[in-house]
Amino acid sequence: MKLTYTRAELTDHHAYAEPHIVHGNRLHGGFDAQGEYVPPRSKSRAEAIGNWTASLEARGGALFEADNSLLRGPRMPNPAQQTLLLERGISQPFWNNLTVTGKLEARGRLLADVQFPSLAELIVEDTREMAVGHLDEGMLWAHGIDEGGQPDEGIGGHDVMWFVARDLVIDPGTHADVEPPENIGRPEAGQRLMPELQPQYEGLLSLLMNLLIIEFRAEIFFATAQEILRNPVLFADRRQAAEEAAEIIERIRTDEQIHVESLRLYLGELREVTFRTVDGGTVPARQVIDRFWTGLAAWASDEQPKLAAAQQRALLEPLIEAQGGAALLAEFNTLADPH
Ligand SMILES: [Fe+2]
Ligand SMILES: [Fe+2]
């Protein structure tokens, strides 16, 4: 079984029968002869992930566990609230959600732009036949380019895909631009949570775990956005465009599966290895990872959703009252998730 891959292999494309172009926008990936969407850079990457996973399982390991318990927490606005607003002609909150999601995707390009430390010196075992041995051999680069595209080559990634989907249903220029929050990972404010490791390794491990949570929970909004776009009552004057927008999001979801799976694979592999510590000793990596993950997962599925919902509520209430009056605001609030 092939377990070592070159950078060129991990970033190679399938031969597409058709490029991915939507209303003149060149987007990544393409279509096979049957018209099925094929993610970019997935020819050898998908095979490699499969082989590394089989190898991990043969050693008694498993993909890192990430399940639906990570999807808990109130949402503001939830699909029912968003639908109510759109029915009453208030499209700004939905437009903002789509825009912020696209801009957050663009930030993911840092995976391709930043030089991360190699884990080879941290890990006692030989990682050359593992996915974690290929992080800086194309795996993180491919991931980052999936998110932020190749603007220099005129190829849009997920960021542009969200903007194209958005512009299909809400005319450009309708709303003022918005920016996402500075940091969407857990604020760690300089405190060391893996003091037994050198800080650059803590930084990378924390990034991988935060990213898994962010990618996993992103699915909540992806599903909501599709549900709204596919609601026959909404965007009644442009149903076909709304269906097409939902299709673009489906392609993003297909790409994201590769990201979630590769992150679960990296962390699954890491749970089976041994880390070198700053004091010259070693520690089973799973001790460090599981401890960090427990705190992070609790924050991301309990504390963070409540905070985010409260922030959204504070932003939305004045907007709804101004555009729809007190009666609409009251109706909106009766649909809210329990908090
Ligand atoms: Fe993405
Ligand atoms: Fe992703």
Side-chain angles (χ1 to χ4, degrees):
M1 189 162 58
K2 182 171 161 66
L3 294 171
T4 58
Y5 288 83
T6 63
R7 187 181 188 88
E9 284 172 319
L10 291 175
T11 56
D12 63 357
H13 299 272
H14 283 94
Y16 306 122
E18 284 286 335
H20 184 194
I21 298 172
V22 179
H23 296 286
N25 297 283
R26 173 83 168 89
L27 304 170
H28 72 200
F31 299 92
D32 67 15
Q34 284 72 47
E36 284 288 314
Y37 173 73
V38 182
R41 293 165 285 277
S42 62
K43 191 174 172 218
S44 301
R45 188 163 46 142
E47 176 202 287
I49 290 170
N51 286 358
W52 289 321
T53 301
S55 168
L56 172 64
E57 286 168 351
R59 300 195 295 279
L63 291 181
F64 191 79
E65 200 161 329
D67 62 36
N68 289 346
S69 69
L70 290 174
L71 301 180
R72 295 194 301 264
R75 280 184 284 159
M76 167 65 72
N78 62 29
Q81 290 177 306
Q82 195 74 269
T83 303
L84 171 71
L85 296 181
L86 287 164
E87 277 176 337
R88 304 296 169 86
I90 300 176
S91 63
Q92 191 177 341
F94 189 54
W95 190 92
N96 287 357
N97 282 164
L98 296 167
T99 303
V100 162
T101 303
K103 291 190 180 191
L104 291 173
E105 295 265 21
R107 278 190 200 165
R109 200 176 194 285
L110 82 90
L111 291 174
D113 293 338
V114 172
Q115 181 70 49
F116 293 100
S118 164
L119 291 175
E121 282 163 36
L122 169 69
I123 297 170
V124 172
E125 292 82 358
D126 187 344
T127 61
R128 279 175 298 182
E129 296 194 335
M130 298 183 200
V132 286
H134 293 75
L135 290 179
D136 46 7
E137 287 298 321
M139 288 302 286
L140 291 181
W141 187 86
H143 189 152
I145 299 296
D146 290 352
E147 310 291 21
Q150 292 171 295
D152 299 348
E153 294 178 34
I155 302 173
H158 289 168
D159 53 345
V160 178
M161 290 166 80
W162 281 103
F163 302 146
V164 169
R166 175 196 68 192
D167 294 349
L168 279 167
V169 289
I170 300 168
D171 291 331
T174 305
H175 301 294
D177 203 7
V178 282
E179 293 301 326
E182 265 324 295
N183 179 8
I184 58 162
R186 179 170 56 158
E188 283 156 20
Q191 52 170 321
R192 295 294 312 278
L193 295 168
M194 306 176 199
E196 58 272 75
L197 307 185
Q198 289 185 29
Q200 71 271 29
Y201 299 129
E202 171 168 341
L204 178 53
L205 295 170
S206 165
L207 174 74
L208 294 177
M209 285 189 262
N210 271 285
L211 207 53
L212 176 56
I213 297 254
I214 291 166
E215 298 256 11
F216 204 84
R217 285 188 57 91
E219 183 55 21
I220 300 173
F221 178 65
F222 290 19
T224 299
Q226 284 185 312
E227 186 185 327
I228 286 164
L229 291 165
R230 288 178 172 151
N231 183 341
V233 172
L234 302 175
F235 310 108
D237 61 335
R238 49 178 92 183
R239 281 309 312 150
Q240 208 186 330
E243 292 294 338
E244 192 173 5
E247 256 324 291
I248 295 172
I249 296 171
E250 186 64 29
R251 292 172 205 148
I252 299 175
R253 289 175 85 173
T254 305
D255 299 342
E256 299 292 11
Q257 281 174 13
I258 300 175
H259 298 170
V260 169
E261 209 178 306
S262 51
L263 289 163
R264 293 181 62 201
L265 172 61
Y266 305 147
L267 293 166
E269 287 179 346
L270 289 169
R271 285 190 82 250
E272 303 300 317
V273 302
T274 313
F275 286 157
R276 295 183 214 280
T277 54
V278 281
D279 61 7
T282 60
V283 61
R286 69 175 60 193
Q287 272 181 27
V288 179
I289 288 175
D290 291 355
R291 185 184 70 216
F292 185 90
W293 178 260
T294 303
L296 178 62
W299 174 82
S301 48
D302 294 321
E303 262 172 86
Q304 198 275 345
K306 286 180 197 147
L307 275 174
Q311 274 171 1
Q312 279 300 308
R313 176 188 291 271
L315 284 173
L316 288 175
E317 284 190 341
L319 183 152
I320 295 166
E321 193 157 23
Q323 295 187 21
L328 179 65
L329 179 58
E331 198 178 338
F332 179 84
N333 283 332
T334 60
L335 295 172
D337 287 347
H339 54 278

